[in-house]
Amino acid sequence: MVVIVKKEVLITTPPFITLGQLLKEEAIIGTGGQAKWYLREHSVEVNDEPENRRGRKLYPKDTVNIPDEGLFFVRSRREE
C-alpha cells in the first residue's frame, strides 16, 4: 500500500516560489545546488505535467507531485 502525504506549502514572498526553493524548503534536498541533480534523477510533476527545471515558478493553486515524498499544494498567505 502506497501512502501519499499531502502538504500545503505557503508562499511568504509572493507572487511565486521556484521548484528548487520548494525542494529545499521541504528538506527534500539539502542545498539549492542539489536541485538540478535531484530533478535529473527523480520524476517530479507540476500540475500533472513532468517537470525538470529547478527555476520553474510555482504560483498559488499549483500542485507538485514528488513520488515517495508527497503531494504539495502551493498556497499564498493571502488565501488564509
Side-chain angles (χ1 to χ4, degrees):
M1 180 175 166
V2 175
V3 176
I4 297 176
V5 177
K6 296 180 182 179
K7 184 174 181 184
E8 284 191 356
V9 176
L10 293 176
I11 297 175
T12 57
T13 56
F16 65 87
I17 186 173
T18 66
L19 181 55
Q21 289 171 323
L22 180 138
L23 293 172
K24 186 173 180 210
E25 184 175 305
E26 295 303 315
I28 296 169
I29 58 174
T31 66
Q34 294 174 334
K36 192 176 198 178
W37 167 84
Y38 184 89
L39 293 168
R40 261 193 314 228
E41 300 293 322
H42 298 85
S43 64
V44 173
E45 291 182 351
V46 174
N47 300 327
D48 297 321
E49 296 288 329
E51 185 58 71
N52 63 2
R53 297 173 294 163
R54 65 182 175 182
R56 166 69 189 262
K57 293 177 182 176
L58 304 172
Y59 294 93
K61 301 189 173 141
D62 283 343
T63 60
V64 180
N65 185 14
I66 306 171
D68 300 324
E69 296 293 340
L71 182 60
F72 300 89
F73 300 95
V74 180
R75 300 290 178 257
S76 170
R77 291 222 185 263
R78 293 183 204 162
E79 295 176 7
E80 294 180 336

